[in-house]
Amino acid sequence: MIHNRVLVLLGLLTLILSGCAASKKDREIAGDVKTVGNTVSVNGISTLEEGSEIKVELRDIETDSVLEETIVKVNGDHTYGANFSRDKREEDQKLVVTFNPEEQPADIQQIYGRKGENIRDGSPGLVKDGEFNRIQMFDFIYKVVKGSVGQRTILLDSFHIPSDINSGGE
């Protein structure tokens, strides 16, 4: 009788603990990028939980230094958006959009793991840095040239410099 109770308690404990453990899931960040003049806009959707923080950076291509940066939160409908001005619009630049679990509030870290260990391998944009995982997406931001109409592009999971960078966009 005691043996059966111990087995039942162990079974229940196993079910409770397995239910509490976060399952690994694909995590995605998608986004449309638009530039007009010196304004860069990113509007997207993600599979991240509401309140997750996404860092949006405009970087110099040559030095990879951050020129502009903003942090936005994922809304209840899983959308996010960022707008900012760029000072060096005469230069091509790199847009980097990052979800980094170790920089999240505690309640978000519980979902994804402090080191991103609950993000499934194969998630688009997954970057493994030692024992840490993050999601990172990119876009090439064209310089503004006379007569350019700006650009409309999408985030990609790797950064590529276009072969014809003198097109000014679209």
Side-chain angles (χ1 to χ4, degrees), residues 130-147:
E131 58 188 35
F132 293 90
N133 295 331
R134 68 182 180 274
I135 302 293
Q136 201 161 46
M137 304 296 284
F138 305 92
D139 196 12
F140 182 87
I141 303 298
Y142 290 93
K143 64 184 168 186
V144 176
V145 295
K146 186 176 182 177

Side-chain angles (χ1 to χ4, degrees), residues 22 101-102 108-119 133:
E102 77 175 304
I108 301 298
Q109 283 186 357
Q110 285 183 329
I111 297 166
Y112 302 107
R114 191 180 70 76
K115 299 176 183 179
E117 59 269 22
N118 296 332
I119 299 174
N133 295 331

Side-chain angles (χ1 to χ4, degrees), residues 3-20:
H3 180 62
N4 287 344
R5 286 185 182 170
V6 170
L7 287 176
V8 169
L9 286 174
L10 285 174
L12 287 173
L13 184 59
T14 301
L15 285 173
I16 289 169
L17 291 176
S18 67
C20 292

Side-chain angles (χ1 to χ4, degrees), residues 27-167:
R27 303 299 176 189
E28 298 180 38
I29 300 173
D32 295 319
V33 180
K34 180 179 178 182
T35 66
V36 176
N38 66 341
T39 302
V40 177
S41 298
V42 182
N43 292 295
I45 191 163
S46 76
T47 58
L48 299 170
E49 293 296 320
E50 178 180 4
S52 296
E53 295 178 353
I54 297 175
K55 185 186 300 182
V56 182
E57 299 171 306
L58 193 62
R59 295 184 183 180
D60 181 273
I61 290 176
E62 305 269 327
T63 65
D64 206 35
S65 62
V66 176
L67 303 171
E68 300 288 337
E69 175 184 318
T70 188
I71 295 175
V72 297
K73 290 192 181 216
V74 175
N75 299 315
D77 62 355
H78 298 281
T79 61
Y80 70 94
N83 298 303
F84 51 89
S85 295
R86 59 182 175 151
D87 293 331
K88 297 183 176 187
R89 65 185 201 167
E90 68 282 350
E91 298 175 8
D92 296 319
Q93 295 159 341
K94 174 169 64 169
L95 184 71
V96 182
V97 177
T98 306
F99 170 71
N100 192 343
E102 77 175 304
E103 296 174 356
Q104 299 299 311
D107 59 328
I108 301 298
Q109 283 186 357
Q110 285 183 329
I111 297 166
Y112 302 107
R114 191 180 70 76
K115 299 176 183 179
E117 59 269 22
N118 296 332
I119 299 174
R120 185 174 17 203
D121 289 347
S123 292
L126 179 66
V127 175
K128 292 179 166 280
D129 187 8
E131 58 188 35
F132 293 90
N133 295 331
R134 68 182 180 274
I135 302 293
Q136 201 161 46
M137 304 296 284
F138 305 92
D139 196 12
F140 182 87
I141 303 298
Y142 290 93
K143 64 184 168 186
V144 176
V145 295
K146 186 176 182 177
S148 79
V149 294
Q151 75 183 69
R152 287 181 172 260
T153 51
I154 60 171
L155 294 174
L156 300 173
D157 61 2
S158 59
F159 182 69
H160 300 286
I161 297 177
S163 56
D164 179 16
I165 60 173
N166 295 322
S167 68

